[in-house]
Amino acid sequence: MPGNDLKSKRSAFCRYYTLLGNAEEAALKAGFDRKNALAEGVKCLSSDNCRKNIASLRKSLSDSGNVTAALRRLAFGSCSDAVHLVFAEELPPPDILDRLDLFNVSEMKRDKGGGIEIKFFDRLKAIEKLFELENAFSDRDKAADLLKALSSSAEEGGEIDDI
């Protein structure tokens, strides 16, 4: 069933896009062909259903957009491509380098002996920032609920004591 395969790829694209914030990368991870990944990602983002799905996923993750997606990626993303690069006998060809996920890399140097030094972003700091964002979203929702309760109480004729 080719239609079901496309539907499952688009669903996977929405999940990956919510986490990664990058259309091409999300399309690749969802199983779209490398040659058409960016075009397929853009096509998915043009779809009302996809945009609604992404909005719903972001809401369920208390995500306001790409900042939280990037922090999640720094906190929980894979470092395997960077490790592969460090232990490779020689530098991979450019087409291989283009496919490596080096999002978590903050700095890269070649030392005098020809080796590579790679520094990663601090995962603990990213997790701390995610925690702060989650609390901010939670506090915002609590404040909105309180205002809603107060306004509905006032509309129903309930008295609100002055503080």
Side-chain angles (χ1 to χ4, degrees):
M1 291 185 171
N4 267 350
D5 186 42
L6 182 60
K7 187 175 180 177
S8 72
K9 282 182 182 179
R10 286 185 174 170
S11 179
F13 169 85
C14 292
R15 292 190 303 275
Y16 284 118
Y17 185 80
T18 301
L19 293 174
L20 303 173
N22 179 301
E24 184 175 22
E25 191 172 354
L28 286 170
K29 290 196 176 283
F32 287 101
D33 185 77
R34 175 166 294 285
K35 289 184 255 180
N36 303 327
L38 181 58
E40 290 294 341
V42 169
K43 196 183 295 184
C44 287
L45 289 174
S46 299
S47 156
D48 284 339
N49 286 340
C50 185
R51 285 195 309 270
K52 287 176 186 173
N53 192 1
I54 290 169
S56 172
L57 288 167
R58 282 184 172 161
K59 185 176 181 182
S60 69
L61 294 171
S62 298
D63 190 353
S64 66
N66 291 332
V67 171
T68 305
L71 284 171
R72 277 195 181 92
R73 215 168 151 197
L74 289 175
F76 307 112
S78 172
C79 296
S80 61
D81 284 347
V83 171
H84 174 74
L85 186 59
V86 168
F87 289 104
E89 293 293 322
E90 58 185 45
L91 194 62
D95 63 319
I96 301 293
L97 282 175
D98 287 342
R99 288 184 266 166
L100 297 178
D101 179 5
L102 302 175
F103 189 82
N104 287 334
V105 174
S106 67
E107 188 177 333
M108 197 178 284
K109 294 180 190 176
R110 183 176 292 275
D111 65 20
K112 292 178 184 177
I116 298 175
E117 177 185 336
I118 296 181
K119 293 182 181 178
F120 295 96
F121 287 103
D122 189 332
R123 287 181 185 265
L124 187 56
K125 284 183 183 175
I127 290 170
E128 288 171 355
K129 291 297 179 189
L130 278 170
F131 180 74
E132 290 172 14
L133 279 173
E134 290 296 326
N135 283 336
F137 287 130
S138 176
D139 290 347
R140 182 193 64 202
D141 292 341
K142 288 176 186 174
D145 290 344
L146 176 62
L147 288 172
K148 185 177 176 183
L150 290 173
S151 65
S152 68
S153 175
E155 288 172 4
E156 293 172 1
E159 292 187 23
I160 301 174
D161 294 334
D162 288 336
I163 297 176

